[in-house]
Amino acid sequence: MRLAMISDIHGNLPALGAVLADIDRRGVEAIYHLGDLVGYNPFPNEVVGKIRELGLPGVVGNYDLAVAAKVEDPIGTYLNPVISPLAQEIYHWTRTRVRAENKSFLQSLPRRLHLKVKGWNLLLTHGSPRDIREYLRPTLSEEELAAALKDTEAEVVLVGHTHRPMVRRVGEKWLINPGSVGFPKDGDRRAAY
């Protein structure tokens, strides 16, 4: 079974369209998302609408929670409290534009999704299994990554959040990050999945 994992679309509808077209050409059987559907780019409602239309299962991202939050300070709760003034402006713009039904959809997404595929136990989450905001960066040591994965029985852990692709063997587990569809931070402007 061929799966596609997409993450960190961040409201970038053209990038999502390009990735979905490429996935279709490759004959993938199922697509999952790892959260952060909104933010940074100007098409949050269209991206959420496309994910809903296609019925793509996935998990909620920290930016999704911040935009859909019912808490007093979603920036400090779900986003870095010291984000730049421009990032704050973008966040507030996104929050005011995302329609109520899309906020409800974002709130309905689980923080974790467990899959069983061809005998493999997979865990999908946005940040680390410990915390939606924790970055599992490629620069972390095997010991640091093992500590983040120790409480999961999954053999394959799929995460987003860093916007950087990564495939690492951590003890007996695989840690995979597909990179970012809509806001790559790996020096390559092309969408990754």
Side-chain angles (χ1 to χ4, degrees), residues 39-41 63 84-95:
Y40 299 115
N41 291 289
Y63 210 112
S84 72
L86 178 59
Q88 286 184 31
E89 186 177 333
I90 292 167
Y91 162 73
H92 289 295
W93 181 92
T94 302
R95 186 173 165 114

Side-chain angles (χ1 to χ4, degrees), residues 27-184:
V28 170
E29 297 168 55
I31 306 169
Y32 293 87
H33 71 83
L34 301 174
D36 276 3
L37 304 179
V38 300
Y40 299 115
N41 291 289
F43 304 104
N45 288 303
E46 294 84 350
V47 165
V48 173
K50 185 54 122 174
I51 297 299
R52 292 173 67 189
E53 172 193 326
L54 296 173
L56 300 184
V59 297
V60 70
N62 66 302
Y63 210 112
D64 301 328
L65 287 174
V67 165
K70 297 177 182 175
V71 299
E72 190 70 28
D73 181 16
I75 289 180
T77 303
Y78 299 115
L79 302 178
N80 184 338
V82 294
I83 61 175
S84 72
L86 178 59
Q88 286 184 31
E89 186 177 333
I90 292 167
Y91 162 73
H92 289 295
W93 181 92
T94 302
R95 186 173 165 114
T96 62
R97 301 243 172 359
V98 174
R99 292 191 296 271
E101 67 270 17
N102 288 332
K103 286 182 181 181
S104 292
F105 174 77
L106 294 173
Q107 289 168 341
S108 75
L109 292 171
R111 288 190 183 224
R112 294 170 162 224
L113 185 59
H114 296 272
L115 304 175
K116 185 99 169 172
V117 178
K118 295 213 173 216
W120 289 82
N121 292 311
L122 283 63
L123 171 64
L124 283 60
T125 186
H126 181 69
S128 85
R130 296 188 295 203
D131 185 346
I132 197 168
R133 287 184 4 175
E134 182 179 13
Y135 291 97
L136 297 183
R137 300 183 198 289
T139 55
L140 292 178
S141 70
E142 183 166 341
E143 293 76 25
E144 291 169 309
L145 293 174
L149 303 181
K150 73 179 173 90
D151 291 331
T152 178
E153 295 184 20
E155 298 147 322
V156 180
V157 178
L158 294 122
V159 301
H161 194 45
T162 67
H163 299 213
R164 298 170 192 271
M166 172 178 62
V167 176
R168 292 268 303 265
R169 182 83 171 164
V170 181
E172 297 299 311
K173 301 177 190 297
W174 286 99
L175 176 62
I176 301 172
N177 186 323
S180 174
V181 170
F183 190 37

Side-chain angles (χ1 to χ4, degrees), residues 7-24:
S7 188
D8 298 282
I9 303 164
H10 283 295
N12 191 333
L13 187 63
L16 176 60
V19 163
L20 291 173
D22 192 64
I23 288 170
D24 187 55

